[in-house]
Amino acid sequence: MTPDEPAPQTPGPATDEPTVVRLRRQHDGQPSTPDLDLHETVQGRKPGSRFLRLTRAGEQKLRRVGEGEFEATQAAMRPTTPVGRVWAGARRVLIGAPLATADLPHERLSKFKALAIFSSDNMSSSAYATEEILLVLILAGTASLSLSLPIALAIALLAAIVATSYSQLVKAYPRGGGAYDVTQETLGVLPSLLAGSTLVVDYILTVAVSTAAGVAAITSAAPELLDWRVEIAIVFVVLLTIGNLRGIRESGSLFALPPYLFIVAFGGMIAVGIIRLALGHDMTAAAPPNPVDAGTHAVTLFLVLRAFASGAAALTGIEAIADGTPSFKPPEAKNASITLYWMAAILAAFFVGTTLLATQMDVAPSETKTVVAQIATTVFGEGVFFYLVQVTTAMILVLAANTAFAGLPTLASVMARGGDMPKQFAFRGDRLAFSNGIIVLGLASCGVLFLFDADTHKIIPLYAFGVFMAFTLSQAGMVVHWRRSRGPGWKLSLGVNALGCVVTGVVAMIVGGTKFLDGAWLSMTAMAILLLVLWIIRQHYKDAENQLSSGLAGAEGVAQHFYSASSGRPQTVLVPVETINRAVLRTMAYARTLSMNAIAIHVTDELELAEPLRQQWEESVPDVPLVVVESPYRSLIEPILAYIEGLDRTQPNHMVTVVLPEFVTKHFWQRFLHNQLSLRLKKALINRPNTVVVDVPYHLSH
Amino acid sequence: MTPDEPAPQTPGPATDEPTVVRLRRQHDGQPSTPDLDLHETVQGRKPGSRFLRLTRAGEQKLRRVGEGEFEATQAAMRPTTPVGRVWAGARRVLIGAPLATADLPHERLSKFKALAIFSSDNMSSSAYATEEILLVLILAGTASLSLSLPIALAIALLAAIVATSYSQLVKAYPRGGGAYDVTQETLGVLPSLLAGSTLVVDYILTVAVSTAAGVAAITSAAPELLDWRVEIAIVFVVLLTIGNLRGIRESGSLFALPPYLFIVAFGGMIAVGIIRLALGHDMTAAAPPNPVDAGTHAVTLFLVLRAFASGAAALTGIEAIADGTPSFKPPEAKNASITLYWMAAILAAFFVGTTLLATQMDVAPSETKTVVAQIATTVFGEGVFFYLVQVTTAMILVLAANTAFAGLPTLASVMARGGDMPKQFAFRGDRLAFSNGIIVLGLASCGVLFLFDADTHKIIPLYAFGVFMAFTLSQAGMVVHWRRSRGPGWKLSLGVNALGCVVTGVVAMIVGGTKFLDGAWLSMTAMAILLLVLWIIRQHYKDAENQLSSGLAGAEGVAQHFYSASSGRPQTVLVPVETINRAVLRTMAYARTLSMNAIAIHVTDELELAEPLRQQWEESVPDVPLVVVESPYRSLIEPILAYIEGLDRTQPNHMVTVVLPEFVTKHFWQRFLHNQLSLRLKKALINRPNTVVVDVPYHLSH
């Protein structure tokens, strides 16, 4: 009988392996379906036996698939308590049904969906990058605003270089991880940890900046919401967190529409604007509300570099595709690369187009109305199309944050599997998304939004440095990669990546230098601290692994030798006893099954007070001796510890097992009324070597 | 050899009981002192053997005192870790060295010290009670202030009645507990819980009111501190909490001086004032700063009753002596009774004296200067004596809070021993004070001070109702007591207590009625909630006790029968395994010593991935079968639970012991990097019957 056949629903005759399959009658008198004696199966190694039916309702939770091999079914995941069922129901509504690993390929993204998920961060920067340039230039007066166009063109060129560099990276490292992965393999531990920590900080800032800019698009159209921008931004982040906990595919379906709406609306605005300019219409923008004061600075190189650094924030988000490559449909690398070029092209067109329109329309930055909103007003008037541009811009910006939600959990899980992050992040929840990373990202970015008043201009200076650091590190890694691999055309590839490395390195220095005091120092500090934390975690895991495997590697049979040496140590079972009741008697009975060498110990304020207990004990539990310790200092814990120390001295190599009754209460609050002694004793014993603590649960029924 | 003889420091010849005492060589080659094989002693029952020497340094932690009987010495209390030693050192400095139960009688209080500790609350009310009366009367204009003297005299009479009633109670119930104890024995469960909850609330309010009034005395002399009164009040409470954690005797020594200073200064002020009045000096008080506006209400009965209710707060604190009776030196009851009368006499004299001076001097209440401060200024001018009165008043008031610190932990411990409070409160710390009660009291009263701005007038309306409730309940209980006992002179005693009961009952109604909207509703609500909580706790403990003892009482040998029935159940040991390392091998070796019937279980995403582990397993741990479960939903916990369910079905009466390696990390933060699976599995298993979880600690050394 193969594992795929259904289990018989009637008792039927026993199979020809009667030791494996048993017939048993249930309480209602109905014969049950045959049960497999799991234990027999394991030890008796009887292949080909029937399916296991382990639950009352006849649901099969484990399916036997081979010798000592089982498969868990979805029934095993079903909660059995009422609270568990409610929770699972709520989870299913919010997050969706669990997915099997076998379903994973079906979760893969088409280029069309992937562009929506991974590119929104990058594309959407065109909504604020021009404004950030103008905000710097206006320090030298309104006349200098026209410098924004050459700066935008320089950034578009930079985008082309970075995209080309990254398309090579995607091909060389299709399994994701991006800068972290590449530097790990080529440059070593420290650069990869540096890349990892810069990416983590930047993912958090991406969520914060994009959400803040999205809210600014909304408040440009509805200024009365200005006072609520922090609250609105945090609500958006919470919604994104829940959406992403639903898993990758849902994210794709849910979030595919807005990016394309944005492309249509924003692209339409630029196209109409340029056409009307070309036709010679008067396209001068109205004076903005609450204009930013024009400064009187000279147009210095530093000022231009600062403006460039502000605009360079547009390039963030390119690495998301590299980190997310494994989510693409096969061939992953090719699809990712094509998506990458599309993304860069759209960004460059939108960004340069916006900047061109802004300069031609003499748009000046305002404190309450974004530059894009002013352009949209000028092109379309305050009608339907203006609101369409604002709404789609807000949507794409909030969804841009989604880039980070898709990217960071993947990165964290890659890092955790490499031992560079706590193991919690490696664990895949019962959805294919990586729940822990998503939750941490949501919380951290809410924190940033709260601290910086959800103000794009305050968060931007913290932002771009880390991204260019990561660019530089990964391109440097690629240079090493090509030198090592020397595949066909490796010299050209090396050249491309070397150029990318140098250019992004220079930009990183410009961004870090010109924005240092504005806030870059803060994100640098955060990265440095995170780097240190990751380094410490890595060292700890390496260390623990070494301790755990020391002496086990090498010659065959070493593990078996260690196991044998650990076996058969003499064992003393000690049971602290306060009184005699059912819980204590059950605990004693259990302790006796563990070892013949069981001792009960009772601590008392005065010896005489223990006399009735001793007499009752000798009657009730005649086969276990009771030791009574008087504790004149009324301490309960220390005398027990002292007694264990005494045991240690008389039997140096023994294991001490302390068995404690633990009351399991029906209600949460009742817990605080019990187990005081157990908790304190456990805390005291946890640091003793060769001492094991056993809790024997006693369930109070109400 | 008796237990008092010192242990021999040289090995010497073995005694005539060679199985008990062993000679062993230590690592340094020096022969150790004889060790007692504790286990042998216990089972072999060899009396009269030598002292145990259990520590390296030769310190004796346990002393053998009889068959299977030991005594813990102070050495057992000594911490062994560096952190533990630092902590113990800090504790010793803040709280003092631990005291043995044998030292308890030496901790008893003389009448002189007891008056300081238990009476400061009561006596010190004279510092604010007059003012509270005037604050109500002024609503009917300044002319009505003279009504305060008859009101004060009525309250003094009330004090005499209550003191007489309570002195009878102290004699009948010398073991403390006061109203709770009396009602428990005479009126039943619910009244005693009501008394307990009213007393708890009033102890908390005592701390809050007294501290607030103490701070008001300070700010009357130093108005620039007015803005800091909440902070100052909380600092005082914290200092009192620490002081009380040091134990009763220290509290006595530390706090005995200020009450007597207060008696001298305050009594001196009243005496000088009355003498100067009698000599015909002009003693009209200066107009107060920031006077309270005089109202135009008519002098109604309700107003007079409100004024009376405000002044009745002076009587709080009388029950502290009844609760604290066991702390007195023998004969406890007589000493407590004498102290009680002294206390009431001092209170009456101070309170009536203050009110007399206030009316004669035409003192009007002020928002920033207390009535007592105005009297002191009028009597002494703004000189040294004025500041002496203010400082000693502040000190006695802050120490009045100490009454509650002495009383509430005693009450809580009595209630906890009766199962009416969580067991945590019954436990005596390693000081004779009851640490948990002290800490809870400190926290709760800080909360009240914070909520009510440390303003006496805001807290007073919450205050007196509960005290008179408790008075009434305990007097009613005493009536029942005398009816039952019918000792010599029981009729007179019954009459006294019946009078006390009726009078205090009427006062309780007056206080509750006239102050209901001012805040009494709040404390009534708190009492009702606490009553409910105590009732639920009591029911739970009773219930748990019934469950634990059900079927054990009655015929002899029932407990033994239950024990035998629980023994010898088949046992399966299950060890979840993720990989093979030293920790896993040690855990397996331990699991094998527990039972021959051990099974290892490994959960994997895909069966093929587990193949290397299976091979390694069969080499390393040949005597334990490995079960592999494929989990297509990547869940780790549910497949293990499903497997255990399968075991349950095949062996219905067996116990399942799940053995888990637990990493004990050297540093606190490292904990978060390990034991994820164990924690989740433990949480899932705790609600299963017949399932025991065992943690085998593996100590990571760095």
Side-chain angles (χ1 to χ4, degrees):
Chain A
M1 192 179 269
T2 70
D4 291 319
E5 285 180 45
Q9 290 302 317
T10 49
T15 68
D16 48 350
E17 287 144 3
T19 57
V20 176
V21 179
R22 288 179 181 176
L23 275 178
R24 200 164 348 109
R25 289 200 169 261
Q26 289 184 329
H27 286 298
D28 55 9
Q30 291 295 315
S32 69
T33 53
D35 279 331
L36 192 73
D37 185 327
L38 287 174
H39 192 203
E40 290 275 314
T41 310
V42 169
Q43 298 203 321
R45 307 210 181 271
K46 309 273 180 189
S49 46
R50 285 160 193 274
F51 291 157
L52 292 174
R53 301 216 143 253
L54 299 170
T55 55
R56 291 260 161 92
E59 279 183 320
Q60 185 185 336
K61 287 192 176 182
L62 282 189
R63 217 158 53 90
R64 191 177 186 291
V65 293
E67 263 189 46
E69 289 177 346
F70 299 90
E71 186 188 81
T73 68
Q74 211 174 331
M77 305 286 296
R78 219 154 286 161
T80 50
T81 61
V83 175
R85 269 192 292 269
V86 170
W87 174 238
R91 223 175 129 82
R92 198 168 287 257
V93 168
L94 276 174
I95 303 180
L99 295 167
T101 307
D103 300 337
L104 196 50
H106 309 292
E107 293 289 301
R108 296 298 185 84
L109 300 166
S110 66
K111 290 198 287 293
F112 185 80
K113 274 191 183 172
L115 186 67
I117 287 189
F118 292 123
S119 311
S120 46
D121 171 25
N122 190 253
M123 288 192 316
S124 66
S125 345
S126 47
Y128 57 80
T130 302
E131 179 160 354
E132 295 298 326
I133 296 176
L134 296 180
L135 272 169
V136 174
L137 291 176
I138 200 152
L139 296 173
T142 45
S144 66
L145 292 183
S146 59
L147 278 172
S148 57
L149 193 57
I151 292 174
L153 289 169
I155 291 170
L157 180 65
L158 186 60
I161 293 170
V162 172
T164 312
S165 298
Y166 257 94
S167 93
Q168 297 209 52
L169 189 149
V170 164
K171 281 173 194 156
Y173 291 91
R175 69 190 157 90
Y180 167 77
D181 235 22
V182 176
T183 47
Q184 175 96 303
E185 281 192 17
T186 53
L187 303 179
V189 171
L190 211 57
S192 74
L193 288 181
L194 183 59
S197 50
T198 54
L199 285 173
V200 168
V201 171
D202 271 314
Y203 276 131
I204 294 166
L205 291 171
T206 297
V207 175
V209 165
S210 304
T211 313
V215 174
I218 293 173
T219 54
S220 293
E224 60 276 16
L225 293 176
L226 259 174
D227 286 347
W228 296 92
R229 63 181 180 189
V230 176
E231 288 82 356
I232 296 171
I234 286 175
V235 166
F236 280 138
V237 172
V238 170
L239 290 178
L240 281 173
T241 306
I242 293 174
N244 274 279
L245 287 172
R246 286 184 61 93
I248 292 179
R249 188 174 51 185
E250 278 82 347
S251 302
S253 306
L254 195 63
F255 299 139
L257 191 62
Y260 288 105
L261 276 179
F262 169 76
I263 290 174
V264 171
F266 206 90
M269 174 187 79
I270 291 170
V272 172
I274 290 177
I275 289 167
R276 293 180 69 178
L277 272 177
L279 296 177
H281 290 223
D282 175 22
M283 296 288 285
T284 309
N290 313 308
V292 174
D293 292 338
T296 53
H297 274 259
V299 181
T300 58
L301 177 62
F302 183 77
L303 190 82
V304 173
L305 287 179
R306 262 184 79 190
F308 173 80
S310 293
L315 264 67
T316 57
I318 286 189
E319 77 292 344
I321 284 185
D323 294 348
T325 308
S327 302
F328 279 82
K329 280 195 176 150
E332 291 87 352
K334 194 179 159 216
N335 286 332
S337 182
I338 292 170
T339 313
L340 181 65
Y341 280 122
W342 268 104
M343 175 174 84
I346 296 172
L347 167 76
F350 282 10
F351 177 43
V352 173
T354 310
T355 313
L356 177 70
L357 287 179
T359 50
Q360 293 298 316
M361 295 173 171
D362 293 333
V363 170
S366 141
E367 274 168 16
T368 54
K369 193 166 183 179
T370 63
V371 166
V372 168
Q374 292 181 55
I375 294 174
T377 312
T378 314
V379 172
F380 295 126
E382 292 263 356
V384 172
F385 287 108
F386 165 74
Y387 285 103
L388 185 69
V389 171
Q390 288 313 110
V391 168
T392 55
T393 304
M395 284 168 86
I396 184 85
L397 275 162
V398 170
L399 295 186
N402 198 49
T403 308
F405 277 102
L408 183 125
T410 314
L411 173 68
S413 125
V414 170
M415 290 179 75
R417 268 177 270 146
D420 288 348
M421 276 262 187
K423 282 178 191 160
Q424 284 92 325
F425 290 102
F427 179 77
R428 299 195 192 181
D430 62 349
R431 293 295 297 178
L432 298 176
F434 309 118
S435 319
N436 283 320
I438 290 171
I439 290 167
V440 167
L441 179 59
L443 288 177
S445 49
C446 280
V448 173
L449 283 167
F450 183 77
L451 283 176
F452 292 92
D453 299 328
D455 184 339
T456 320
H457 312 315
K458 287 186 188 162
I459 312 175
I460 282 277
L462 281 71
Y463 189 27
F465 170 74
V467 180
F468 282 94
M469 272 287 292
F471 286 166
T472 312
L473 284 167
S474 59
Q475 303 313 323
M478 287 306 292
V479 171
V480 173
H481 171 82
W482 297 124
R483 270 177 56 99
R484 280 194 199 150
S485 69
R486 297 182 186 241
W490 69 275
K491 281 185 183 170
L492 178 65
S493 299
L494 189 148
V496 169
N497 284 123
L499 176 70
C501 176
V502 170
V503 170
T504 55
V506 170
V507 175
M509 280 190 286
I510 292 173
V511 173
T514 60
K515 298 283 174 186
F516 187 80
L517 291 177
D518 293 340
W521 68 271
L522 206 61
S523 46
M524 286 180 192
T525 309
M527 286 163 196
I529 292 171
L530 191 55
L531 174 65
L532 187 69
V533 169
L534 294 179
W535 174 258
I536 290 170
I537 289 173
R538 184 189 172 82
Q539 290 306 312
H540 174 73
Y541 276 136
K542 263 178 68 180
D543 217 63
E545 209 183 299
N546 286 342
Q547 288 181 53
L548 287 171
S549 62
S550 82
L552 293 188
E556 233 176 72
V558 198
Q560 213 254 305
H561 181 76
F562 179 78
Y563 171 67
S564 307
S566 307
S567 299
R569 291 173 64 177
Q571 151 102 281
T572 309
V573 174
L574 194 66
V575 188
V577 165
E578 284 181 284
T579 178
I580 293 182
N581 58 33
R582 294 175 81 93
V584 170
L585 292 171
R586 273 196 61 203
T587 306
M588 286 315 308
Y590 177 82
R592 279 283 282 144
T593 65
L594 296 187
S595 167
M596 297 301 287
N597 195 9
I599 304 171
I601 182 167
H602 175 69
V603 178
T604 178
D605 277 13
E606 281 175 63
L607 278 181
E608 301 86 67
L609 296 177
E611 214 32 62
L613 179 74
R614 177 184 283 289
Q615 282 170 17
Q616 214 189 333
W617 188 265
E618 277 165 10
E619 272 171 31
S620 312
V621 192
D623 55 350
V624 177
L626 176 74
V627 172
V628 176
V629 180
E630 185 183 35
S631 171
Y633 296 91
R634 290 165 312 286
S635 162
L636 286 167
I637 305 300
E638 284 81 359
I640 296 175
L641 294 181
Y643 188 80
I644 296 176
E645 274 178 39
L647 292 174
D648 284 350
R649 301 263 294 187
T650 53
Q651 300 194 15
N653 193 36
H654 78 149
M655 293 285 286
V656 177
T657 301
V658 178
V659 183
L660 299 165
E662 176 163 350
F663 293 100
V664 180
T665 55
K666 193 149 185 225
H667 301 288
F668 176 75
W669 59 268
Q670 295 170 338
R671 252 208 276 166
F672 300 99
L673 304 176
H674 296 282
N675 301 323
Q676 301 309 319
L677 175 64
S678 296
L679 284 174
R680 295 173 64 220
L681 198 52
K682 267 192 257 184
K683 223 177 125 192
L685 289 173
I686 190 70
N687 286 316
R688 272 185 52 88
N690 303 325
T691 306
V692 175
V693 175
V694 178
D695 297 315
V696 180
Y698 188 91
H699 289 257
L700 292 171
S701 57
H702 44 99
Chain B
M1 192 182 265
T2 70
D4 292 317
E5 284 181 47
Q9 291 300 316
T10 48
T15 68
D16 47 352
E17 288 142 2
T19 59
V20 177
V21 179
R22 287 178 181 176
L23 274 179
R24 204 172 340 112
R25 288 201 169 261
Q26 289 183 329
H27 288 297
D28 56 8
Q30 290 295 316
S32 70
T33 53
D35 278 333
L36 193 71
D37 186 326
L38 288 175
H39 192 204
E40 290 274 314
T41 309
V42 170
Q43 299 203 318
R45 309 214 180 267
K46 309 276 180 187
S49 47
R50 283 157 195 279
F51 291 157
L52 292 173
R53 302 218 141 251
L54 299 170
T55 54
R56 291 261 161 89
E59 279 182 320
Q60 186 187 334
K61 287 192 178 181
L62 283 188
R63 218 159 52 92
R64 192 179 186 292
V65 292
E67 264 189 45
E69 291 177 345
F70 300 91
E71 185 188 81
T73 67
Q74 211 174 331
M77 305 287 296
R78 219 155 283 161
T80 50
T81 61
V83 174
R85 269 192 292 269
V86 169
W87 174 240
R91 224 174 128 80
R92 198 168 287 258
V93 169
L94 277 174
I95 303 181
L99 296 167
T101 308
D103 300 337
L104 196 51
H106 309 291
E107 293 289 300
R108 297 297 186 83
L109 300 165
S110 65
K111 289 197 287 294
F112 185 81
K113 273 191 184 174
L115 186 67
I117 287 187
F118 291 123
S119 312
S120 45
D121 171 25
N122 191 252
M123 287 193 313
S124 68
S125 343
S126 47
Y128 57 80
T130 302
E131 179 160 357
E132 295 300 326
I133 297 176
L134 296 180
L135 271 170
V136 175
L137 291 177
I138 200 151
L139 295 174
T142 45
S144 66
L145 292 182
S146 58
L147 278 172
S148 58
L149 194 57
I151 292 174
L153 288 169
I155 291 171
L157 180 65
L158 186 60
I161 293 170
V162 172
T164 312
S165 299
Y166 258 94
S167 96
Q168 296 207 54
L169 191 150
V170 164
K171 280 173 194 156
Y173 291 90
R175 67 191 157 91
Y180 166 77
D181 235 21
V182 176
T183 47
Q184 175 96 307
E185 282 192 16
T186 54
L187 303 181
V189 172
L190 211 57
S192 75
L193 287 182
L194 183 60
S197 51
T198 52
L199 285 173
V200 168
V201 170
D202 271 314
Y203 276 131
I204 293 166
L205 291 171
T206 297
V207 175
V209 166
S210 304
T211 313
V215 174
I218 293 174
T219 54
S220 294
E224 60 275 16
L225 291 176
L226 258 174
D227 287 347
W228 295 92
R229 62 181 180 190
V230 175
E231 288 82 356
I232 296 171
I234 285 174
V235 166
F236 280 137
V237 173
V238 169
L239 291 177
L240 281 173
T241 306
I242 293 174
N244 274 280
L245 286 171
R246 285 184 62 95
I248 293 178
R249 189 173 51 185
E250 279 82 350
S251 303
S253 306
L254 195 63
F255 299 138
L257 192 61
Y260 288 105
L261 276 179
F262 169 76
I263 291 174
V264 170
F266 206 90
M269 176 188 77
I270 291 169
V272 172
I274 290 176
I275 289 167
R276 295 181 66 181
L277 273 176
L279 296 177
H281 289 225
D282 175 25
M283 295 288 284
T284 308
N290 314 309
V292 175
D293 292 338
T296 55
H297 274 261
V299 182
T300 58
L301 178 63
F302 183 76
L303 189 83
V304 173
L305 288 178
R306 263 184 80 190
F308 173 80
S310 293
L315 263 67
T316 59
I318 286 187
E319 77 292 343
I321 284 184
D323 294 348
T325 307
S327 301
F328 279 81
K329 280 192 176 152
E332 291 89 352
K334 194 181 158 214
N335 286 332
S337 181
I338 293 171
T339 313
L340 182 64
Y341 281 121
W342 267 105
M343 176 176 83
I346 296 172
L347 167 75
F350 282 10
F351 177 43
V352 174
T354 309
T355 312
L356 177 71
L357 288 180
T359 48
Q360 295 297 318
M361 294 172 173
D362 293 333
V363 170
S366 139
E367 273 169 17
T368 52
K369 194 167 182 179
T370 64
V371 167
V372 168
Q374 292 180 56
I375 294 174
T377 313
T378 314
V379 173
F380 295 128
E382 292 261 357
V384 173
F385 287 107
F386 165 74
Y387 285 103
L388 186 68
V389 171
Q390 289 312 109
V391 169
T392 55
T393 304
M395 283 167 86
I396 184 85
L397 276 162
V398 171
L399 295 186
N402 197 49
T403 308
F405 277 102
L408 183 124
T410 314
L411 173 68
S413 124
V414 170
M415 291 179 74
R417 268 177 271 146
D420 290 346
M421 276 262 185
K423 283 179 190 159
Q424 284 92 324
F425 291 101
F427 179 77
R428 300 194 192 180
D430 62 350
R431 293 295 296 178
L432 298 176
F434 308 118
S435 319
N436 282 321
I438 290 172
I439 290 167
V440 168
L441 179 59
L443 289 176
S445 49
C446 280
V448 173
L449 284 167
F450 183 77
L451 283 176
F452 293 91
D453 300 326
D455 184 338
T456 319
H457 312 315
K458 288 186 188 162
I459 311 175
I460 281 277
L462 282 70
Y463 188 27
F465 170 74
V467 179
F468 281 95
M469 271 287 293
F471 285 166
T472 313
L473 284 168
S474 59
Q475 303 313 322
M478 286 306 292
V479 171
V480 173
H481 172 82
W482 296 125
R483 269 177 58 98
R484 279 192 200 153
S485 70
R486 298 181 185 243
W490 69 274
K491 283 184 182 170
L492 178 67
S493 299
L494 189 148
V496 169
N497 283 123
L499 176 69
C501 175
V502 170
V503 170
T504 54
V506 170
V507 175
M509 280 188 285
I510 293 173
V511 173
T514 59
K515 298 285 175 184
F516 186 80
L517 292 176
D518 294 339
W521 68 271
L522 205 62
S523 46
M524 286 179 194
T525 309
M527 285 164 198
I529 292 172
L530 191 56
L531 174 65
L532 187 69
V533 169
L534 295 179
W535 175 259
I536 290 171
I537 289 173
R538 184 189 173 82
Q539 290 307 314
H540 174 72
Y541 275 136
K542 262 178 69 181
D543 215 62
E545 211 184 296
N546 286 343
Q547 289 182 53
L548 287 172
S549 61
S550 82
L552 293 187
E556 232 176 75
V558 198
Q560 213 254 306
H561 181 76
F562 179 80
Y563 172 67
S564 306
S566 308
S567 298
R569 292 173 63 177
Q571 150 103 282
T572 310
V573 174
L574 193 66
V575 189
V577 164
E578 285 181 283
T579 178
I580 293 182
N581 59 34
R582 294 176 80 95
V584 170
L585 292 171
R586 272 196 59 203
T587 306
M588 286 315 307
Y590 177 81
R592 280 282 282 143
T593 65
L594 295 187
S595 166
M596 296 302 285
N597 194 8
I599 304 171
I601 182 167
H602 175 69
V603 179
T604 178
D605 277 12
E606 282 176 61
L607 279 179
E608 301 86 68
L609 295 177
E611 215 30 63
L613 178 75
R614 177 184 282 291
Q615 281 169 19
Q616 214 189 334
W617 188 266
E618 277 164 11
E619 272 172 32
S620 311
V621 191
D623 54 351
V624 177
L626 176 73
V627 172
V628 176
V629 181
E630 187 184 34
S631 171
Y633 296 90
R634 294 165 310 285
S635 162
L636 286 167
I637 305 301
E638 284 81 359
I640 296 175
L641 294 181
Y643 188 81
I644 296 176
E645 273 179 39
L647 292 174
D648 283 350
R649 302 262 294 184
T650 53
Q651 301 194 12
N653 193 36
H654 79 150
M655 293 284 288
V656 177
T657 302
V658 178
V659 183
L660 299 164
E662 175 164 350
F663 293 100
V664 180
T665 55
K666 195 152 183 218
H667 301 289
F668 176 76
W669 59 268
Q670 295 170 338
R671 252 210 276 167
F672 300 99
L673 303 176
H674 297 283
N675 302 323
Q676 302 307 320
L677 175 64
S678 297
L679 284 174
R680 293 173 65 219
L681 199 51
K682 266 192 258 184
K683 223 178 124 190
L685 289 173
I686 190 71
N687 285 317
R688 272 184 53 86
N690 304 325
T691 307
V692 175
V693 175
V694 178
D695 297 314
V696 180
Y698 189 91
H699 289 257
L700 292 170
S701 57
H702 44 98

